[in-house]
Amino acid sequence: MSALARGRRWVIPAPLASVAGLIGVIARRPVGLLGLIGVGSFVGLAFIGPLFVPLHNTVDIANVYRTPSFANPLGTDFQGRDVLNQIVYGGRDILSVAFLAAFFSTAVAVTFGSLAATVGGKVDTIVLAVADIVLTVPQLVVLIVVAAIFRPEGFFILALLLASLQWAGLLRQIRAQILSLKEREYIEAARSLDLGLFHIIFREMLPNMASYVAIHFIFAMTGAVYAQVGLIVLGLVPLSGANWGVMLYLAQSQGALYFSDSFWYILSPILAISLFQLSLVALATGLEDVFNPRLRAGS
Amino acid sequence: MSLLSVRDLSIAYRSGRGPVQAVRGVSFDVEPGETVAIIGESGSGKTTLAVGLIRLSGRNAEVTRGTIVFARSDGPRDVLEMDAEELRRFRWGDAAMVFQSALNSFNPVIDVWSQFLDTARAHGLNDPKAVLKRSSELLELVHLDPERVLRAYPHELSGGMKQRVLIALSLLLGPRLLILDEPTTALDILTQRAIIDLLRDLRQKLGFAMLFISHDLSLAAELADRVLTMYAGRVVEEARVEDLFYRPRHPYSVGLLKAVPRVSGELGRLASIAGTPPDLVQLPSGCAYHPRCPFAIDRCQQEDPALVAVDTPGHTAACIRWQAVAEAVGTRRPAEALQ
Amino acid sequence: MTVRELSPELRSTGGPLIELDAVSRTFATPAGRITAVDRVSLAFAAGEAMCLVGESGCGKTTTGRLLAGLLRPTGGRLRFEGQDVWEKRGKDLAAFRRAVQLVHQDPYASLNPVRTVYDTLSAPLFRHRKARGREDATTQIVELLRRVGLTPPADFLPKYPHQLSGGQRQRVSIARALSVDPRVIVADEAVSMVDVSIRITLLDLLLALRDELGVTIVLITHDLAVARYFARRGRIGVMYLGRVVELAPAEPLVSDPAHPYAAALVGAIPEADPTVTRSKERVPLRSAEVPSLLEVPAGCSFHPRCPRFEPGLCDVRVPALLPISDDREVACHVAVRERTKRV
């Protein structure tokens, strides 16, 4: 469908406008296809799964640490509850926080990175200085300390906390990209035509960096997942309920490490987290082709 | 016998959109000591041809047909059948290549002397003293100061100087054929002139044959004994240099000549060739040039013409309407622009 | 697009449209200061076709960028419609920038690869409120594309740059420049990276814009043959090491160059005619080395290479660009002396 027929001022590249088209491009590469399937499955599992499967919260001491069977495909936990059930419910919070954290940090990095690069001067110096300070701070330590002091309860706050330390690296990279894009001839033409700072950043430069930003977004998510799980396992985040990180925390604190029968209770969340991360990385690789019009539009 | 004999060479490569027939059934000879120019623009396949002649094509290129026979000192040999060792001796020893964009042909982190030594060693010359002597001789032949240049790094040399160094480098093992790809593109007028004069001078002193590939007709006018014009992967005309410029018989050659402005003499009526360069993935039916050809008739859409002999000796053109072209061109005297 | 009154005379009433008045531009490089453009004075009338020719390092590209307001002069003044450009502020400066558009050399870098032809051409129309809505913009863009010879226009609208040939991209660049109704278009080597067989149509297009719209076109090129064709009803300025050394209409320049450097260029350029080119008379130069901009020779910067060099004169005094006839100027002591004596 031609851009014209859609009549929008900010014209999205034609195949991108249809989700089917987008998926088609990603799926062209085996790794992209795997990533799509993986991420899709986990998102489905985490958000749609709970709609169909009720949470089994009843304690059943008789069934503690059962090995996998037909009734409990991944075994049971220290309170006799089904592990698979918890895996289904355990993804929602983790994914939501990861997505939000990545969103905040990317938004901040893109906005201030491009501003600093295009405006230059004092603005650039200040933004860079702040970013450098954040970068030199040992992230894990700060995270632990802040979490220990403030005990983030809602996942919104947790997402903000995670984002607050992630934006600096991406900002520097966005800034560097924009500094180089600034010299391109079509950008010079845009300035000559007096198209305005907003247009130049968001409609000329950023679309050239779209794949870059998208891939970094995904990696910000993987970082956020690790950070979250780390904080939870250390007991710094008072989250309860079914949550992969909480499962690991409980496994550790309830002594699951000492029983051979509880193997699956520990392994399941680890597998879930790892497989999800892998899928994200595969998806990121598959995204490389999407934003390159040369590879997309063909002839 | 001919120094280089190419017969029915076809090279295709894979692209995102499908196979690209970059070179289609090209045949030509280069005699010892002769200078042949292959003239073509974007989409003509000339660079694929140049690179394919010494088998430096990328991995996704494939020679689908044809032979490239070179008359080596121990007998004729098909380059396409050489093994790695033979190829190594062939390259630089028998045939050397001077690539386009001299600027990019150098390794920026090593100095010029190291480039000479490395190249020599790669092709069997291991004695640094001998290499130094030869390199200095060659650099002097190209009017450069060996003392200064051998010590320098590529970024310290100007474009013209780099081109000269490349030429000297290519002559290191005394090849009998020099293949040059766009040797004067992107050079200033005075530097171009110097390189052209240099090539002429070297050719006379050392007697090598030259095959150069370019879009620049004036280069052919300066140096060539014979000229081939290429379009959409095929040779469309082959002639002695005067015949091509004064008695062209293929509409593309005519179009090219009419599209080049001149400095001396009358400006004449110039015109561009209508249309756009050919798409090598989806070639037009019949003669690839017909969509842009002012002489085209219906038959041109159906037949892809082979090279036929025309009205001057040693002159062939791939056009069924060459007589009409001959009439339209008339007899031109030198320095008259085509009307 | 509005058609403005064409003023074909070079020295018509009212003064030049855009003017470089003793403009200089220096750059600081790690190796030292270089003067890319040295006190160049050039005046362009409305509707003029002018060509700046020279080899690399002569300052022609810098001059073009100075004209377009993309670089600020470090000396001298740039005047547009009589007013000093760099004294303007805000809206006036923006208006000037739009009035002088630059078309770049590289068709592969001058268009944003992720934006279609429609995107690229509609942006300035919307920004400057020349189009209200998609349909209006489309109509105007179709007209622009027609004017630059891209037909049928509707086919080109959804295309990305990589789907166009080099010549087509240059036309889109020209259309983009036209979309803001410029008074001057500076074409910086705009045909150098395009196939030889298509250059003429692009040059003819630029000349047609001059004829139909009264836009002043300044073509910058290193190819003297292209310059001759383009400026056949205009002037050519030959530049060397940051200075203009000869300024003349095309025909007198190529048939009887006054400055030894111009003569060297004319004699050196290879031609597409074997008999002519193999028998051309060359102007032998005393040295093949081009001086670096870091060490420009004293007096006339061409003197170390010049066959007409006169010691005590050429290596001491910088020759001014002086008229030797109604429409020719030369910066050469010897040429000025000889040619004004003849008259």
Side-chain angles (χ1 to χ4, degrees), chain B residues 215, chain C residues 105 170 188-195 199 220-222:
Chain B
H215 66 268
Chain C
Q105 166 178 16
Q170 286 301 61
D188 185 3
E189 299 272 20
V191 296
S192 308
M193 286 182 68
V194 166
D195 274 342
R199 283 183 195 169
I220 296 171
T221 179
H222 65 274

Side-chain angles (χ1 to χ4, degrees), chain A residues 117-131:
Chain A
T118 40
V119 173
K122 289 215 191 82
V123 173
D124 187 27
T125 322
I126 294 174
V127 170
L128 258 189
V130 174

Side-chain angles (χ1 to χ4, degrees), chain B residues 42 188 221-222 246 264-265 272 335, chain C residues 56 195 201 228 271 273 275 277:
Chain B
S42 50
D188 293 324
E222 284 274 348
Y246 305 135
S264 312
S272 281
Chain C
S56 46
D195 274 342
T201 26
R228 180 200 185 187
E271 310 247 28
D273 184 318
T275 318
T277 204

Side-chain angles (χ1 to χ4, degrees), chain A residues 65-217:
Chain A
Y65 289 146
R66 285 246 172 209
T67 49
S69 63
F70 187 71
N72 302 306
L74 290 174
T76 58
D77 70 354
F78 64 99
Q79 290 185 314
R81 293 175 294 196
D82 179 34
V83 169
L84 177 59
N85 186 262
Q86 293 184 36
I87 292 288
V88 169
Y89 272 83
R92 197 170 44 187
D93 289 349
I94 303 252
L95 265 58
S96 310
V97 172
F99 185 87
L100 271 175
F103 179 79
F104 291 142
S105 69
T106 306
V108 168
V110 165
T111 313
F112 288 95
S114 19
L115 211 62
T118 40
V119 173
K122 289 215 191 82
V123 173
D124 187 27
T125 322
I126 294 174
V127 170
L128 258 189
V130 174
D132 284 341
I133 293 173
V134 171
L135 275 175
T136 49
V137 151
Q139 299 203 2
L140 192 59
V141 173
V142 169
L143 260 181
I144 292 174
V145 168
V146 172
I149 298 177
F150 291 103
R151 295 265 158 196
E153 299 219 338
F155 63 68
F156 195 79
I157 305 291
L158 182 59
L160 275 178
L161 174 63
L162 293 173
S164 67
L165 290 171
Q166 265 184 338
W167 59 270
L170 182 59
L171 182 140
R172 270 193 146 257
Q173 286 167 323
I174 299 264
R175 177 182 169 275
Q177 282 270 297
I178 298 225
L179 280 178
S180 104
L181 277 177
K182 244 169 87 167
E183 304 307 315
R184 299 280 161 89
E185 285 162 7
Y186 54 84
I187 298 295
E188 191 175 75
R191 277 190 277 141
S192 217
L193 292 164
D194 193 28
L195 290 179
L197 191 63
F198 182 86
H199 172 100
I200 290 178
I201 295 181
F202 290 99
R203 295 197 187 157
E204 300 273 350
M205 296 208 230
L206 281 187
N208 268 293
M209 296 173 15
S211 73
Y212 200 78
V213 171
I215 290 169
H216 273 271
F217 182 90

Side-chain angles (χ1 to χ4, degrees), chain B:
Chain B
M1 68 167 291
S2 307
L3 184 62
L4 180 72
S5 196
V6 177
R7 288 283 172 276
D8 200 27
L9 184 65
S10 297
I11 304 177
Y13 61 88
R14 283 187 298 278
S15 81
R17 292 169 47 220
V20 178
Q21 306 291 329
V23 178
R24 305 184 291 139
V26 166
S27 304
F28 64 91
D29 291 326
V30 179
E31 305 298 326
E34 190 185 27
T35 300
V36 174
I38 298 186
I39 303 292
E41 301 180 297
S42 50
S44 63
K46 65 186 197 307
T47 304
T48 311
L49 174 64
V51 165
L53 284 177
I54 55 173
R55 288 176 61 186
L56 274 179
S57 319
R59 218 165 291 199
N60 60 347
E62 200 194 323
V63 174
T64 51
R65 229 177 39 237
T67 58
I68 305 172
V69 177
F70 190 87
R72 308 195 64 207
S73 41
D74 53 353
R77 197 75 183 95
D78 185 354
V79 177
L80 295 169
E81 295 191 350
M82 289 185 185
D83 60 31
E85 175 62 32
E86 282 185 284
L87 206 53
R88 197 170 60 79
R89 281 184 284 130
F90 168 70
R91 287 188 192 136
W92 236 258
D94 291 314
M97 185 142 174
V98 178
F99 282 96
Q100 180 179 6
S101 59
L103 309 151
N104 297 333
S105 300
F106 287 97
N107 184 336
V109 299
I110 65 179
D111 63 15
V112 173
W113 162 238
S114 307
Q115 318 250 320
F116 273 88
L117 192 57
D118 286 350
T119 309
R121 282 214 183 110
H123 295 279
L125 271 188
N126 280 312
D127 178 11
K129 281 220 190 89
V131 176
L132 181 59
K133 182 158 179 285
R134 178 109 180 111
S135 310
S136 306
E137 277 166 13
L138 288 169
L139 285 172
E140 279 176 7
L141 262 182
V142 300
H143 308 302
L144 287 175
D145 176 9
E147 282 282 310
R148 200 181 133 201
V149 170
L150 286 172
R151 257 191 277 260
Y153 281 84
H155 67 269
E156 296 170 351
L157 305 173
S158 70
M161 287 172 88
K162 279 192 259 204
Q163 190 65 300
R164 288 174 201 258
V165 171
L166 268 186
I167 293 173
L169 194 58
S170 71
L171 296 170
L172 199 57
L173 276 83
R176 288 186 297 142
L177 174 65
L178 208 58
I179 304 176
L180 304 105
D181 183 17
E182 303 280 8
T184 55
T185 303
L187 293 179
D188 293 324
I189 295 178
L190 293 177
T191 319
Q192 263 190 34
R193 167 57 49 200
I195 297 290
I196 293 174
D197 287 346
L198 176 67
L199 285 172
R200 200 180 264 133
D201 191 35
L202 286 172
R203 174 178 66 182
Q204 202 202 24
K205 284 205 181 96
L206 301 175
F208 49 78
M210 262 201 295
L211 176 66
F212 67 82
I213 289 149
S214 177
H215 66 268
D216 191 352
L217 270 175
S218 55
L219 192 60
E222 284 274 348
L223 290 172
D225 298 313
R226 275 190 306 124
V227 184
L228 282 72
T229 46
M230 264 185 89
Y231 188 81
R234 280 213 198 283
V235 173
V236 296
E237 186 160 3
E238 179 176 350
R240 281 190 334 232
V241 67
E242 305 85 20
D243 285 335
L244 187 88
F245 282 91
Y246 305 135
R247 290 170 279 276
R249 295 291 178 253
H250 191 283
Y252 179 59
S253 311
V254 174
L256 270 184
L257 286 165
K258 280 179 92 155
V260 180
R262 7 161 17 134
V263 172
S264 312
E266 294 267 315
L267 199 51
R269 260 184 18 240
L270 293 171
S272 281
I273 299 182
T276 52
D279 181 355
L280 293 174
V281 176
Q282 276 181 326
L283 286 165
S285 61
C287 171
Y289 189 64
H290 84 253
R292 309 172 75 183
C293 183
F295 293 91
I297 52 176
D298 285 335
R299 230 179 100 198
C300 298
Q301 280 186 43
Q302 289 137 22
E303 287 179 28
D304 192 2
L307 284 165
V308 294
V310 299
D311 53 350
T312 39
H315 188 167
T316 54
C319 182
I320 59 179
R321 304 216 57 215
W322 67 264
Q323 279 129 329
V325 177
E327 244 174 282
V329 166
T331 25
R332 257 177 81 225
R333 283 185 304 260
E336 253 175 37
L338 270 176
Q339 288 308 315

Side-chain angles (χ1 to χ4, degrees), chain C residues 217-250:
Chain C
I217 315 270
V218 179
L219 177 68
I220 296 171
T221 179
H222 65 274
D223 187 339
L224 197 53
V226 163
R228 180 200 185 187
Y229 179 79
F230 177 77
R232 57 194 189 281
R233 287 178 346 225
R235 296 184 293 162
I236 298 181
V238 180
M239 290 186 73
Y240 183 73
L241 287 184
R243 297 184 189 144
V244 176
V245 297
E246 185 160 0
L247 196 56

